[in-house]
Amino acid sequence: RDGAMTTEENTRAPAKSLQWLAAVIAVFAAMILGAVWLGNLETGTLKWTNTDFSNYWIASRLVLEGEVLDLFTGQDNYFRHMLAAFGEDYPWHNWSYPPSFLLMIWPLGLLPHATSMVIFLALTAIVFLHSVSVFERRIAPPVAALLVAFIICNLVLAQNGFLMAALMLYGLGLRDRSPIWAGIAFGLLTVKPQLGILVPIVLLFGSNWVVIGSAAITALLLAATSVLLFGIDSWRGYAQFNLPYQASVMTDFSGTFLFMMPSLFGSLRSLGIDSAVAMKLHLVFASVAFILFLIGLVRLKDAFARSLLLLVASFLISPYSLVYDMGALSAVAAIGVYRSEPPWARHALHTRLLRGVALLPILHFVLSASFGLPIAPLFLGATLLILVWPHRPAG
């Protein structure tokens, strides 16, 4: 043969890099589970109870014990359960999710905390890697290396980033091939609505009516089921207590989380700028980003380019997001670096920017926390500009 890969070989090759990542995650999970069963993690020796997963575990325990409304009756009422479970010196955590999210995590409390955490991270990591292969069937091996930054970020923070990224990638990757499944994925993503604020607009531009219908039905069923199981008071409490408290956290609180916010609002707050001023500047920046997003939807006809446009613009427009939410963006940016015919093929700068975007889950936090350089708005803004800039055809 002349050295060219057959179609079968070409579809097998990309999966190998993701299989290696899956193997690494499996080994990681096995090692941590070994430590759990030896008693180290459960006794706090490795200090791994202080993670965001603790919120999910406590919430699940409250569901299983019939005390679910304690999630939605104020921070003090919720946090006393964390202190009872992890000790009086346990650091501050709060519950910010709607009742519908409980349908995804209720079994977690059936196992001890650390065991449950490791299994949750391992399983959702595998789901994430599968969603990457669904979004892009032919993946160059170096893509896996660019995904490591996000994977490490989410493992260390023990967050739900793998799951949320997978839902976004399933939705974007299946919207033309399997619109009903795509809609189900987008409907489930409504448990974290700030990640999908631009999804309806992209679907409308693409006339993806089946996806829209499927997503709407899924979201309604999710909300209705949560009302049926947890009562309407759970939603009333969420609106009365959780949403205002979370807004207060974003505007009034300080701490490490500010270095983890890739939006302009979060970046300015991390530099010590007053939250009111930061929000005004963010809204101006976000308005420009939204206009560029709409221009991009008109100019870009390729489904992949529109997916990248959606993800980049989302993190520029939404004031509230964190680095562990950037999994889908990291994956699509990494894939874009190695795509053979991207619409920006003549712009080497964009390829370099995409590498940086793929690594932002770690780069933004490290540079912001260590050197006062919150780079995410600059990288994302420059990427958006090049995406929507008119490209003259070669020749």
Side-chain angles (χ1 to χ4, degrees):
R1 295 184 296 179
D2 61 2
M5 296 178 70
T6 66
T7 302
E8 182 179 0
E9 290 171 333
N10 219 357
T11 54
R12 286 179 181 175
K16 291 182 179 178
S17 57
L18 296 183
Q19 288 169 1
W20 276 109
L21 271 182
V24 170
I25 291 169
V27 170
F28 166 85
M31 291 173 62
I32 300 301
L33 278 174
V36 170
W37 290 326
L38 288 173
N40 292 334
L41 291 182
E42 293 299 351
T43 58
T45 304
L46 300 183
K47 304 298 181 185
W48 243 26
T49 61
N50 182 19
T51 66
D52 291 337
F53 177 82
S54 299
N55 283 315
Y56 315 149
W57 189 77
I58 288 291
S60 174
R61 295 294 303 169
L62 292 178
V63 171
L64 296 170
E65 294 167 4
E67 298 182 86
V68 67
L69 289 182
D70 282 359
L71 290 166
F72 306 107
T73 51
Q75 170 67 11
D76 291 341
N77 200 27
Y78 167 66
F79 192 57
R80 66 183 176 86
H81 290 285
M82 304 206 85
L83 297 179
F86 302 118
E88 291 299 320
D89 60 344
Y90 193 69
W92 169 90
H93 285 67
N94 74 300
W95 179 257
S96 61
Y97 294 94
S100 52
F101 182 62
L102 298 173
L103 299 176
M104 297 185 181
I105 62 168
W106 69 265
L108 296 176
L110 294 171
L111 295 171
H113 172 268
T115 305
S116 182
M117 177 178 66
V118 173
I119 292 175
F120 172 77
L121 289 174
L123 290 179
T124 55
I126 299 302
V127 172
F128 166 67
L129 294 177
H130 178 261
S131 72
V132 175
S133 66
V134 168
F135 178 84
E136 182 78 359
R137 293 177 177 177
R138 297 174 59 183
I139 300 171
V143 169
L146 290 176
L147 290 179
V148 169
F150 166 67
I151 290 173
I152 291 174
C153 171
N154 199 68
L155 288 176
V156 170
L157 296 172
Q159 253 286 348
N160 58 32
F162 290 140
L163 180 58
M164 296 301 126
L167 292 175
M168 177 65 81
L169 290 173
Y170 283 136
L172 293 175
L174 295 174
R175 67 186 188 272
D176 294 321
R177 287 181 277 154
S178 300
I180 292 178
W181 285 108
I184 291 173
F186 284 137
L188 294 175
L189 191 61
T190 56
V191 299
K192 212 163 186 179
Q194 68 270 27
L195 301 182
I197 54 174
L198 298 178
V199 167
I201 300 176
V202 171
L203 296 179
L204 286 170
F205 261 80
S207 298
N208 299 116
W209 306 115
V210 175
V211 181
I212 293 171
S214 177
I217 292 171
T218 301
L220 288 173
L221 286 176
L222 196 65
T225 303
S226 67
V227 170
L228 181 65
L229 294 177
F230 312 129
I232 191 63
D233 285 342
S234 63
W235 281 95
R236 289 198 185 104
Y238 175 68
Q240 182 180 352
F241 295 103
N242 301 80
L243 286 178
Y245 187 77
Q246 187 62 29
S248 174
V249 170
M250 291 297 102
T251 56
D252 303 328
F253 284 42
S254 60
T256 304
F257 77 95
L258 291 178
F259 302 118
M260 298 166 58
M261 296 178 67
S263 66
L264 182 65
F265 171 73
S267 297
L268 292 175
R269 283 215 62 209
S270 74
L271 296 174
I273 295 176
D274 178 73
S275 61
V277 175
M279 181 57 76
K280 290 177 182 177
L281 293 173
H282 174 88
L283 290 176
V284 173
F285 189 66
S287 299
V288 174
F290 183 69
I291 293 171
L292 291 174
F293 164 72
L294 294 178
I295 293 172
L297 279 182
V298 173
R299 287 181 174 167
L300 300 172
K301 308 301 181 183
D302 176 67
F304 176 86
R306 281 188 170 183
S307 296
L308 180 59
L309 176 76
L310 160 73
L311 293 167
V312 171
S314 295
F315 285 95
L316 289 171
I317 293 171
S318 174
Y320 175 43
S321 60
L322 292 122
V323 290
Y324 52 72
D325 293 322
M326 303 183 81
L329 174 59
S330 293
V332 175
I335 291 168
V337 172
Y338 297 101
R339 268 203 151 208
S340 58
E341 295 181 358
W344 54 87
R346 297 179 63 208
H347 294 263
L349 173 60
H350 205 192
T351 301
R352 296 189 182 98
L353 283 171
L354 287 180
R355 284 194 179 93
V357 169
L359 298 173
L360 278 179
I362 285 182
L363 279 183
H364 178 79
F365 173 73
V366 171
L367 293 178
S368 181
S370 301
F371 305 102
L373 297 173
I375 62 171
L378 296 175
F379 269 72
L380 295 174
T383 303
L384 181 64
L385 275 174
I386 296 179
L387 250 183
V388 304
W389 200 263
H391 303 138
R392 294 181 180 179

